[in-house]
Structures are given as structure tokens and as C-alpha cells.
């Protein structure tokens, strides 16, 4: 007979055992999460309120900001709350929900970046056909396909894990439920499941990375025919995208391209992936973009004038 699942909850070890370090984590990550939510909400509100930010690039950016808020919110609030308790408990269903949500929004983020790279490719390499190719229907399809692909990626990951037998121990050396620590706890041979995880998460990250880098190389090569002002603007925009691609894709490539195993550095690497891209994306896309900065200034001027009336 196969092993039965008699685990109803998991114990999370968190980031650090020291109470002082946990209290420091509360202050740092509470501040980071507030800035993440406010920064990405500002981007979403600015794009939707502005009459000048109506190009497909900003539509994709607003979707990316929404995915970033959701991605960070799947794990960080729980991690912050756990800094106050000695025994960090998460139910089995809560653990699987967290696993699904993290991979859903993280996967969607990667696919949205791919859609944004395609948009920049068409804008720079085929400028005369840009409005015809990137119409509202095509943009909606690309965004819908990104969310659907993120869902399919995540549901496969979750179904593979939820059907594994867990008969003890139930201690996860991490601050949230991820696939590698859970495979380590399963009371069954997880070799094939580990291979599928590599094919699902690892190859998606690796393939997306190469597709995105190759697309931006092609874009840069096509800039030779542009004016100096056009080249400057394109390099600035693509530079922001490349920075985001590196922040988003390097950690999951390290985490999931290798066979199923847990390393000492895994917690810090996945923490960086969950915290830093959502936190930095609003800065990357606004500080290097005059159109967004001007729209934000205009938005605050309108609010100030309404407040004075």
C-alpha cells in the first residue's frame, strides 16, 4: 500500500532563528512591501488616468505592476506576520494555495515580459506597421495568453505536489511553501516529479531568458537605421526592460533548472526574486521614462488643485 497523507499542516522555519533578526526583518520587509504596493499602484493609477500613456507598452506595464503586487502579496505578508510568532504554522491547504499563487503570478510576470519584448520589437523594427500589428485586440490576446500560461504553469506545479503523500516530518526550511522543500518532505519517490518541475519551471525560465535576450539583441542591431534621438529613446526603454528581465529570470533559473534539491542559498535567492523586482520595477520604468514622470506630476497637480477647491 502507498503512503497515506496524514500531514494537515507544515511548520515554516522562516529566514532566521534569532529573534533580533526576525524583528529586523519585520521592519525591513514591512517597509519594502508598503513601498512595493504603493509604487505599483501609482504606476497603475497613472497609466489609467493619463490621456498620453495609451500605447500598448503602458498597457503591458500596468498589467506587470498588477502581477507584481499580487506576486509579492502571496508570501511577504505571511512572512512579516510570522516574525511575531515562535511556531510558524501553515495549513496543508494554505500551503498549496501559496504554492499555486506564487507560481501563478511569478509565471505570469515572465510571460508579460515576453509580450513587452515583442511589443518593443514591433515598435522599433517595424515602426510603419506598429499600430496595425499592436491593435487593442492583439494586446488583449497577448495579456490574456500571459495570464493563461501563468495559470497552466502553476496548476501543473500544484497538482504534481498536492497528490504526493506527506506522512512526516512536516518542517519546511523556508519562509513559504515552495516546490523543492515540499518534494523533500514527500513519502514517495519524487524523481519523475522533480524532472517535470525542471521541465516546467526551469525550462520556462531558461527559454524565456534566451528569447528575451535575443529579441533585444535584434532590436539593438536594428537601431543603426534610427536617428540619434530615436536610438537614445529606444536604448533607454530597452535598457529598463533588460534590467527587469535579469532581476526576474536569473533567480528562478538558479532555483529550478537544477535537479530537485534544497541549498543553503535558496531562501535568500527566492526572497530576492519575490521582493526586489516588484519593488524596483516602478522605479526602473518611471525614473528612466519622461512620459511616465510627466504623467505622475500632472496627476499630483490635478489632485492638488482639486484639494484646494
Amino acid at each position: 500500500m502507498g503512503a497515506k497523507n496524514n500531514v494537515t499542516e507544515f511548520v515554516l522555519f522562516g529566514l532566521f532563528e534569532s529573534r533580533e533578526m526576525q524583528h529586523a526583518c519585520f521592519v525591513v520587509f514591512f517597509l519594502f512591501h508598503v513601498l512595493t504596493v504603493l509604487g505599483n499602484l501609482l504606476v497603475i493609477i497613472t497609466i489609467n488616468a493619463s490621456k498620453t500613456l495609451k500605447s500598448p507598452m503602458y498597457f503591458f506595464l500596468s498589467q506587470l505592476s498588477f502581477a507584481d503586487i499580487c506576486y509579492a502579496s502571496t508570501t511577504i505578508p505571511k512572512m512579516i506576520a510570522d516574525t511575531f510568532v515562535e511556531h510558524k504554522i501553515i495549513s496543508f491547504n494554505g500551503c498549496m494555495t501559496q504554492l499555486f499563487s506564487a507560481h501563478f503570478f511569478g509565471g505570469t510576470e515572465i510571460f508579460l515580459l515576453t509580450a513587452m519584448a515583442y511589443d518593443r520589437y514591433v515598435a522599433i523594427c517595424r515602426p510603419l506597421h506598429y499600430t496595425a500589428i499592436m491593435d487593442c485586440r492583439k494586446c488583449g490576446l497577448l495579456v490574456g495568453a500571459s495570464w493563461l500560461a501563468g495559470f497552466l504553469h502553476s496548476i501543473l506545479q500544484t497538482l504534481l505536489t498536492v497528490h504526493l503523500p506527506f506522512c512526516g516530518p512536516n518542517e519546511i526550511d523556508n519562509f513559504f511553501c515552495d516546490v523543492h522543500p515540499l518534494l523533500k518532505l514527500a513519502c514517495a519517490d519524487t524523481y519523475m516529479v522533480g524532472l517535470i518541475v525542471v521541465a516546467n519551471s526551469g525550462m520556462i525560465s531558461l527559454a524565456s531568458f534566451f528569447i528575451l535576450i535575443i529579441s533585444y539583441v535584434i532590436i539593438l542591431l536594428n537601431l543603426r537605421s534610427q536617428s540619434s534621438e530615436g536610438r537614445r529613446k529606444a536604448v533607454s526603454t530597452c535598457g529598463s526592460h533588460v534590467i527587469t528581465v535579469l532581476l526576474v529570470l536569473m533567480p528562478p533559473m538558479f532555483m529550478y533548472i537544477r535537479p530537485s534539491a534544497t541549498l543553503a542559498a535558496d531562501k535568500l535567492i527566492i526572497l530576492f526574486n519575490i521582493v526586489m523586482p516588484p519593488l524596483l520595477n516602478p522605479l526602473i520604468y518611471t525614473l528612466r521614462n519622461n512620459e511616465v514622470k510627466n504623467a505622475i506630476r500632472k496627476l499630483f497637480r490635478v489632485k492638488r488643485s482639486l484639494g484646494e477647491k
Side-chain angles (χ1 to χ4, degrees):
M1 293 180 63
K4 294 182 179 180
N5 188 358
N6 57 12
V7 171
T8 59
E9 61 185 23
F10 293 99
V11 178
L12 302 172
F13 284 176
L15 284 175
F16 303 101
E17 295 182 5
S18 166
R19 297 300 299 171
E20 291 76 14
M21 289 298 296
Q22 290 188 45
H23 292 156
C25 284
F26 167 78
V27 175
V28 172
F29 292 113
F30 178 79
L31 177 62
F32 280 4
H33 190 61
V34 169
L35 292 175
T36 296
V37 173
L38 293 180
N40 283 286
L41 276 178
L42 178 61
V43 171
I44 294 170
I45 293 170
T46 301
I47 290 173
N48 284 278
S50 174
K51 296 180 179 179
T52 59
L53 304 179
K54 297 302 179 185
S55 68
M57 180 179 73
Y58 297 114
F59 173 61
F60 292 127
L61 180 56
S62 66
Q63 292 289 319
L64 181 67
S65 291
F66 177 71
D68 279 342
I69 292 174
C70 296
Y71 183 42
S73 298
T74 59
T75 55
I76 300 303
K78 167 69 174 167
M79 185 187 75
I80 293 171
D82 281 345
T83 59
F84 290 105
V85 297
E86 184 176 352
H87 299 290
K88 303 166 179 57
I89 306 296
I90 185 169
S91 68
F92 182 88
N93 291 335
C95 184
M96 296 303 139
T97 301
Q98 194 177 62
L99 173 67
F100 170 80
S101 301
H103 281 271
F104 174 40
F105 294 116
T108 300
E109 185 180 37
I110 291 173
F111 293 118
L112 284 171
L113 288 173
T114 306
M116 293 172 73
Y118 176 73
D119 170 70
R120 290 301 84 203
Y121 168 79
V122 176
I124 294 171
C125 300
R126 303 188 65 186
L128 298 178
H129 304 281
Y130 178 68
T131 54
I133 296 174
M134 298 302 295
D135 57 13
C136 292
R137 179 175 174 275
K138 175 67 72 63
C139 293
L141 285 174
L142 286 172
V143 167
S146 297
W147 285 97
L148 178 60
F151 173 81
L152 293 176
H153 154 72
S154 182
I155 199 68
L156 174 60
Q157 203 92 307
T158 306
L159 289 176
L160 288 171
T161 308
V162 77
H163 286 104
L164 290 172
F166 296 95
C167 50
N170 65 339
E171 296 175 333
I172 298 176
D173 187 14
N174 211 326
F175 62 92
F176 82 110
C177 291
D178 199 14
V179 62
H180 283 324
L182 287 170
L183 292 183
K184 187 178 179 181
L185 296 180
C187 304
D189 183 6
T190 59
Y191 177 75
M192 286 305 300
V193 176
L195 288 180
I196 297 173
V197 168
V198 171
N200 185 26
S201 295
M203 294 312 296
I204 285 176
S205 301
L206 186 63
S208 299
F209 177 77
F210 280 115
I211 290 171
L212 290 166
I213 294 300
I214 290 171
S215 68
Y216 286 120
V217 169
I218 294 172
I219 289 171
L220 292 174
L221 291 175
N222 277 271
L223 288 178
R224 290 177 295 182
S225 60
Q226 302 279 336
S227 65
S228 59
E229 177 63 21
R231 283 198 299 270
R232 185 196 64 77
K233 187 175 180 180
V235 168
S236 177
T237 303
C238 291
S240 301
H241 289 221
V242 170
I243 292 171
T244 302
V245 166
L246 294 175
L247 287 174
V248 170
L249 286 174
M250 294 300 286
M253 281 196 295
F254 174 83
M255 290 288 299
Y256 302 114
I257 202 81
R258 54 184 166 83
S260 180
T262 53
L263 302 178
D266 284 354
K267 285 195 289 187
L268 295 179
I269 290 172
I270 198 65
L271 178 67
F272 176 90
N273 181 247
I274 293 172
V275 172
M276 298 314 293
L279 175 66
L280 295 178
N281 279 348
L283 297 176
I284 292 170
Y285 286 107
T286 56
L287 293 181
R288 297 173 61 90
N289 191 310
N290 289 326
E291 289 180 331
V292 177
K293 286 191 288 187
N294 292 333
I296 291 174
R297 293 190 192 102
K298 186 176 181 181
L299 179 66
F300 279 105
R301 281 200 298 268
V302 170
K303 288 187 175 182
R304 192 181 300 117
S305 63
L306 290 175
E308 291 174 353
K309 289 183 178 178

